[in-house]
Every structure is written in structure tokens, then in C-alpha cells.
Amino acid sequence: EAGVAQSPRYKIIEKRQSVAFWCNPISGHATLYWYQQILGQGPKLLIQFQNNGVVDDSQLPKDRFSAERLKGVDSTLKIQPAKLEDSAVYLCASSNFSGGLSKNIQYFGAGTRLSVL
Amino acid sequence: DAKTTQPNSMESNEEEPVHLPCNHSTISGTDYIHWYRQLPSQGPEYVIHGLTSNVNNRMASLAIAEDRKSSTLILHRATLRDAAVYYCILRDFVRNAGNMLTFGGGTRLMVKP
């Protein structure tokens, strides 16, 4: 079974530029998550989709970050304009609630490492 | 979700058992205890979870204190590939409708050959 695919793996941009990250979840997984992981910290949830609807975006800085999941499969996370503090790894995860509600394993991609100069 | 407390780092020798502690004194009755780990340059991966009873799987064992205020992840024979950051996470499946994961700082496990 293929895992969660993310691209690009690395991106370097200058502040005030725009950037987009792409995620392809595991086939059949209805729930998709985007996390931000700053160096030395644990991942922090930015947004969660159930199919193509947003479940939770309370921690997404909506003045500069946007995300969409058209057709309930692939997802794109965009930053416009980027700030220095956006330098981080952006992780995508998916789940399908298999194994019962108590388990609900999230499967993560390898992430995109963003450096804002 | 209730908070957890873990040591920042731990060291182990290869092929020896490792006990990774986690304190969660404010755990509620509907909180499940989940462990994920993050290998270098990879996303986190699920390790194990439990509610009240000790649990075993092919990766590790989870020992849960009787009062559930602490738990221990046990790697029976550490290998160099087990060097990672280990996260202990509480997930309330009643109030946490989205089942999101709230990560803390985790424990960085270093394995010496």
C-alpha cells in the first residue's frame, strides 16, 4: 500500500514570496491533516479535512495560509506571503478510522521542509 | 486534551531494553494513551495505544499505571533504527470529535552501539 505522498521535499523562498505544498493521501482515507513542525518542537495541527470539507482550521493563520481539498482526495496548502517564522516542516497525514474509533491511526508523509530567507 | 510530560532525552545501549516514561496526571476517563515516534527526516508513525490494560504489539509494549496517571513505553531490545523522538499523546474520543493529535515535545531517544 502506497503511503502519504508530499511534494516538494524541500523549498527555499524569500520572505513575501508565495509557496504551495501538495499532498496525496493514502487511497480511501477520508480524513486529511496538515501539520506545521518548527525545528525542535512537536507537530502542530493547522487544518483538518473530512472528505472535501473543513473540520478544524482554528490554528490556521488565515491571513496568509490557505488550504483546499478539491474532490476529497489531494490537498494543497498555500502560504502567501511567507514570513521568516514560517520556516518549518509541513507534514500531511491521513486516516480512515480503521481499527475502531479508539485507534484511528494517522499516517504521515515525509513532509516538506520550507526555508524562508 | 490533557497534557503529558516526558523527559527531553534518554540514552540507551543497543540490544538493551528501553523504558520511556510519560506522566499524565490530569488524564480523564475517556482519554486513550497513544504513542507515536518520529525517525530523523520522516513524519511521525504510530507505535501503540491503550486505555487501561497493558498492551503489546510487534513494535513495543505499553505499561499503564493502575491509576492511569502515568505510562511507560517499552522497547524490548533497542536497535540503532529505534533512535527517534517518541511522543506520548492523550486522545479523548468523546470530546475530540476530530480526533486530532496534540503533540508535545516528546523524548529524543539516542541508541549507542
Side-chain angles (χ1 to χ4, degrees):
Chain A
E1 181 181 74
V4 176
Q6 290 189 247
S7 67
R9 282 301 311 274
Y10 305 94
K11 190 73 177 178
I12 301 173
I13 62 172
E14 294 187 352
K15 60 183 180 183
R16 291 188 289 272
Q17 284 187 324
S18 303
V19 65
F21 314 123
W22 174 81
C23 173
N24 180 238
I26 292 173
S27 178
H29 281 195
T31 310
L32 185 147
Y33 312 80
W34 282 101
Y35 290 83
Q36 179 193 56
Q37 185 172 25
I38 293 172
L39 187 64
Q41 299 180 18
K44 182 186 83 171
L45 181 73
L46 292 175
I47 189 168
Q48 177 186 342
F49 292 94
Q50 181 73 18
N51 296 308
N52 60 353
V54 175
V55 174
D56 184 350
D57 64 356
S58 58
Q59 299 192 79
L60 186 74
K62 298 180 187 63
D63 58 334
R64 297 183 300 105
F65 285 65
S66 64
E68 60 182 10
R69 191 182 184 198
L70 300 175
K71 300 180 182 178
V73 181
D74 294 2
S75 178
T76 303
L77 177 69
K78 297 178 182 177
I79 308 175
Q80 180 180 11
K83 292 185 175 181
L84 296 177
E85 58 261 36
D86 298 332
S87 294
V89 175
Y90 290 85
L91 295 160
C92 179
S94 69
S95 69
N96 70 348
F97 282 85
S98 66
L101 194 61
S102 72
K103 199 170 189 180
N104 187 19
I105 296 173
Q106 289 188 23
Y107 297 86
F108 285 80
T112 296
R113 182 176 297 277
L114 174 66
S115 296
V116 182
L117 306 178
Chain B
D1 288 329
K3 287 189 175 180
T4 62
T5 303
Q6 299 178 253
N8 289 334
S9 64
M10 291 184 63
E11 253 186 24
S12 170
N13 293 317
E14 195 176 14
E15 298 190 4
E16 290 186 357
V18 181
H19 291 230
L20 296 163
C22 180
N23 287 318
H24 28 78
S25 58
T26 59
I27 191 170
S28 74
T30 51
D31 280 326
Y32 282 81
I33 302 160
H34 284 243
W35 284 81
Y36 278 69
R37 72 179 185 180
Q38 187 171 20
L39 302 172
S41 300
Q42 295 188 28
E45 64 175 347
Y46 168 82
V47 177
I48 199 166
H49 82 288
L51 182 62
T52 56
S53 304
N54 294 344
V55 184
N56 299 297
N57 66 21
R58 63 175 181 82
M59 289 182 71
S61 295
L62 177 60
I64 302 172
E66 196 169 334
D67 63 5
R68 300 210 324 125
K69 294 187 176 183
S70 66
S71 61
T72 303
L73 180 71
I74 303 167
L75 306 180
H76 296 287
R77 286 183 69 218
T79 69
L80 297 178
R81 287 174 295 184
D82 291 321
V85 178
Y86 287 78
Y87 297 100
C88 171
I89 301 166
L90 301 183
R91 302 181 77 185
D92 184 340
F93 286 91
V94 173
R95 284 182 285 271
N96 184 358
N99 298 310
M100 57 181 260
L101 294 172
T102 302
F103 290 84
T107 297
R108 180 174 298 279
L109 175 66
M110 292 166 280
V111 181
K112 297 183 293 184

